[in-house]
Amino acid sequence: MFSSKWRRLKKDLKAALKATSAPLTTQEEKLVKEIRRITQKKNRNNVTRTMAYLHFFEKHPEIHWALLAHLVSRNAGWNMTDLKGEYLPKLLTGKEGIDFFVFLERGNWLIFQDAYPQLLLYDASLKHGRPLYHLLDALNVSKFMRPFWERFWESGNSEELTKALIVNEQHYIENRVVRNHLYMATVMDKVMFKLQDVLSMNHILFPYVTPIQQKIKLVGGTVHHFSAVDERILLGRSLYELLYGVRSRLDQIVQWSSAHKHTGSRKDYWPQLFNDVNETPPGHVHEMTVSPCKRKQTGLKIYSPRLEIVWEDWVHAEAETGDWFQSVHVLDMMKKNAKEFSGDIESVYCRTLEEIEFASQTKHTFFQNSEGRSEDRP
């Protein structure tokens, strides 16, 4: 049964590679235009696109990927505002901060403008009572996705569709962002090394509130080898399995997400530790006197601003054309077993906060040592 499924998928994908598009009717052209209009409106910035994912999931909870995209996009927003927060402005030059913001924003924008039309087309298909996935070509969506949306229409297999969307989104940004020479020199080889290898700032956090103690908890995973597309796909699948692995916790994560509008500030999930107002007086150094996880509410909180306060909406160039899907061998990435996350990210994240605070207070010595370590890398 297992092997017949993959044989069928392989056959469908081969057919998709060879398929040609038929001319659109007037009504179809109107629908495609409306989907593009709505997507452009919702893709204004990280806050608008992050909330668009959530609102879609609340309407269509069978599309698991929309919830995963919402949570990962929240983390992208937090990373964006960290660049203007308490610590990173002391560790990165102004140019490095802008370069990294543009890198994060471009990837976030690209994935949304590719994936959200697919979600809207699913919604339109439900309204019309028939699948409209022949319009994916007109929306410049990879040929890879049509067989999976058609299979989902028949089977309702949310897991298979989610895996396909993860494979698609990571390949979609591979050459457009990760392997783009504009970002490789300024971000991947420089800023990402500082923030990931040196400071371990590579955590994806899923917040929720425990029902009895009413205490904020964090689960998630850590990003390794961001530049490798296969590793990013396996990370996405691991996060998906963690998210949907425990039903009671999933419900609590959904409840928290619906109750807390995304602002880009880490205050959204940890108001006892972060504030969107800078409490550190000018000229003073913020000192974390206790472990963040045991931090009392009486001390100075870590500055984590709202996105709209520190970053203006970025005007993007049109997405680069071309379909990444050229071979059915990519199906192998859906067969591989994803790494199982324990989910226990809170203590690791707390140590990262302590490390980055220490680094911001001892920048010169810290990065002299880190540059020495970078020369030793293979």
Side-chain angles (χ1 to χ4, degrees):
M1 183 71 181
F2 179 81
S3 59
S4 64
K5 166 192 167 180
W6 295 111
R7 281 198 299 269
R8 173 67 189 275
L9 260 175
K10 202 169 189 178
K11 181 180 178 182
D12 291 346
L13 286 169
K14 283 182 177 179
L17 273 173
K18 298 175 183 176
T20 56
S21 303
L24 303 188
T25 66
T26 303
Q27 284 300 108
E28 288 173 338
E29 286 180 350
K30 185 178 179 181
L31 176 59
V32 166
K33 186 176 181 180
E34 179 64 4
I35 286 175
R36 284 177 173 157
R37 184 193 68 80
I38 295 172
T39 300
Q40 184 177 21
K41 179 183 176 183
K42 301 287 187 182
N43 206 7
R44 189 164 59 86
N45 56 46
N46 170 264
V47 170
T48 58
R49 64 183 73 105
T50 302
M51 294 308 295
Y53 285 136
L54 178 63
H55 294 153
F56 184 89
F57 172 78
E58 290 171 336
K59 185 177 180 182
H60 300 293
E62 68 275 17
I63 307 297
H64 295 177
W65 183 86
L67 177 63
L68 178 64
H70 165 74
L71 292 165
V72 173
S73 191
R74 275 193 187 251
N75 280 266
W78 295 331
N79 288 332
M80 289 175 188
T81 55
D82 284 346
L83 295 167
K84 296 282 191 176
E86 188 79 48
Y87 301 126
L88 290 193
K90 300 181 181 75
L91 297 172
L92 302 176
T93 66
K95 182 180 184 304
E96 287 174 337
I98 292 172
D99 286 343
F100 194 41
F101 166 75
V102 174
F103 173 81
L104 292 169
E105 168 66 13
R106 182 65 174 175
N108 203 227
W109 182 88
L110 279 169
I111 288 173
F112 187 89
Q113 68 87 38
D114 180 69
Y116 199 65
Q118 298 180 57
L119 305 186
L120 294 179
L121 192 59
Y122 170 70
D123 183 70
S125 295
L126 291 177
K127 289 176 180 174
H128 285 77
R130 59 187 176 89
L132 301 173
Y133 303 125
H134 61 288
L135 298 180
L136 288 170
D137 276 350
L139 291 165
N140 297 321
V141 174
S142 172
K143 291 179 180 294
F144 176 78
M145 286 308 305
R146 181 171 174 179
F148 290 100
W149 278 110
E150 289 176 340
R151 287 167 63 89
F152 179 72
W153 184 264
E154 297 296 329
S155 69
N157 187 332
S158 299
E159 182 179 349
E160 181 182 274
L161 178 65
T162 303
K163 288 180 179 179
L165 284 163
I166 290 170
V167 169
N168 176 67
E169 69 174 81
Q170 293 306 327
H171 278 97
Y172 185 75
I173 65 168
E174 174 72 353
N175 289 326
R176 291 173 173 87
V177 177
V178 181
R179 296 292 170 189
N180 186 315
H181 68 93
L182 294 175
Y183 301 112
M184 288 190 74
T186 58
V187 177
M188 299 302 296
D189 293 340
K190 191 175 182 183
V191 183
M192 291 286 275
F193 169 67
K194 276 188 181 181
L195 298 187
Q196 289 197 11
D197 286 13
V198 180
L199 296 174
S200 303
M201 287 202 65
N202 47 2
H203 310 306
I204 304 292
L205 311 175
F206 297 164
Y208 66 99
V209 176
T210 56
I212 298 176
Q213 299 103 334
Q214 289 295 298
K215 179 185 176 184
I216 189 74
K217 296 286 289 181
L218 302 173
V219 292
T222 301
V223 180
H224 298 291
H225 310 298
F226 182 86
S227 60
V229 64
D230 289 2
E231 292 293 334
R232 296 197 309 275
I233 289 169
L234 290 175
L235 168 71
R237 287 184 48 197
S238 297
L239 290 171
Y240 170 58
E241 290 176 15
L242 174 68
L243 180 59
Y244 276 82
V246 180
R247 181 68 204 205
S248 58
R249 187 178 64 201
L250 169 65
D251 291 341
Q252 290 157 16
I253 291 173
V254 172
Q255 288 168 12
W256 180 88
S257 298
S258 296
H260 295 81
K261 183 181 182 298
H262 176 59
T263 70
S265 172
R266 293 187 183 271
K267 180 184 177 182
D268 291 352
Y269 68 86
W270 214 339
Q272 295 84 359
L273 186 61
F274 295 97
N275 196 357
D276 53 10
V277 176
N278 194 347
E279 298 181 3
T280 306
H284 288 66
V285 176
H286 183 280
E287 292 189 7
M288 193 182 292
T289 56
V290 293
S291 170
C293 287
K294 301 175 183 176
R295 188 177 175 79
K296 296 180 180 178
Q297 297 184 35
T298 53
L300 290 179
K301 295 177 183 177
I302 301 169
Y303 179 47
S304 179
R306 296 163 67 99
L307 185 95
E308 62 188 14
I309 300 300
V310 293
W311 292 112
E312 295 181 356
D313 293 348
W314 195 261
V315 178
H316 288 267
E318 287 294 317
E320 296 86 345
T321 57
D323 191 343
W324 64 266
F325 178 48
Q326 302 296 326
S327 169
V328 295
H329 293 302
V330 73
L331 201 58
D332 293 341
M333 284 310 303
M334 295 184 64
K335 296 181 186 179
K336 285 186 180 180
N337 293 325
K339 176 184 175 183
E340 184 176 339
F341 283 146
S342 67
D344 182 17
I345 197 74
E346 199 163 309
S347 59
V348 177
Y349 178 59
C350 288
R351 286 198 298 273
T352 295
L353 284 176
E354 292 173 336
E355 188 176 57
I356 194 172
E357 188 209 22
F358 174 76
S360 70
Q361 293 175 2
T362 57
K363 176 182 177 182
H364 180 70
T365 303
F366 188 88
F367 279 121
Q368 269 193 332
N369 293 336
S370 73
E371 286 167 7
R373 291 200 297 272
S374 72
E375 292 172 359
D376 297 331
R377 287 189 300 161

